[in-house]
Amino acid sequence: MKLYLKCPNCKYENSFKSNASTRVEFVMVKNKKTIEINCVGCNKKISASVNKIYAKESKSAFLIAGIIFMIGSILILIIWSKILSNSKNAMGLYAVALLLLVPVWIYIIIQKQERIRVSTFNHTYVNDYH
Ligand SMILES: [Zn+2]
């Protein structure tokens, strides 16, 4: 996922990709408790504790959720209008009305998982003193 580290010199928010989903995992992969990167803002090499790294909710996750929500809703409305014009089956109408909840449900799940992912990373700290 995308992780961030603010530069102590110029406060620029540097971002980088990592497979780690917690700071503990990050330390295991890198085999050290510090991170060294070149700051994009001031071009200086910065070194910081992994506890300074943080995750943020990604805009693309919300965008994908939004697209699923929109396409899903449109598809279901098309199906609904066909059922409305073709039949008078009350059960069918009821089923489609329930289907309308599916994109809403997917949208909520994606948002929730994104929040869990970010807070899992941000709430696990690595002990600095070992
Ligand atoms: Zn900087």
Side-chain angles (χ1 to χ4, degrees):
M1 73 168 128
K2 214 172 178 189
L3 297 172
Y4 299 86
L5 177 69
K6 224 172 218 165
C7 173
N9 306 317
C10 69
K11 308 289 173 218
Y12 182 87
E13 191 174 56
N14 293 282
S15 68
F16 53 95
K17 281 210 182 323
S18 169
N19 293 325
S21 53
T22 61
R23 291 190 180 98
V24 179
E25 239 178 83
F26 192 89
V27 170
M28 286 198 301
V29 171
K30 298 266 173 192
N31 209 17
K32 54 183 178 182
K33 288 174 179 174
T34 53
I35 176 173
E36 280 108 40
I37 56 165
N38 280 316
C39 175
V40 179
C42 61
N43 243 328
K44 277 181 194 146
K45 197 168 191 177
I46 51 173
S47 171
S49 156
V50 288
N51 288 332
K52 294 266 188 274
I53 304 168
Y54 55 94
K56 285 204 302 197
E57 284 171 18
S58 104
K59 285 191 181 82
S60 60
F62 290 103
L63 197 69
I64 290 166
I67 290 167
I68 290 171
F69 177 72
M70 266 169 51
I71 293 174
S73 304
I74 290 164
L75 280 177
I76 287 159
L77 281 173
I78 290 168
I79 297 167
W80 200 355
S81 65
K82 278 199 172 152
I83 288 179
L84 270 176
S85 57
N86 290 342
S87 81
K88 292 187 166 61
N89 188 338
M91 277 300 279
L93 279 178
Y94 190 63
V96 177
L98 279 177
L99 267 181
L100 264 173
L101 291 174
V102 172
V104 177
W105 186 60
I106 292 171
Y107 183 73
I108 290 168
I109 286 178
I110 291 177
Q111 281 202 335
K112 202 175 168 188
Q113 288 201 318
E114 181 65 9
R115 293 222 169 89
I116 291 170
R117 188 183 69 80
V118 169
S119 70
T120 301
F121 190 93
N122 289 342
H123 291 109
T124 43
Y125 289 97
V126 171
N127 193 339
D128 270 330
Y129 306 102
H130 281 277

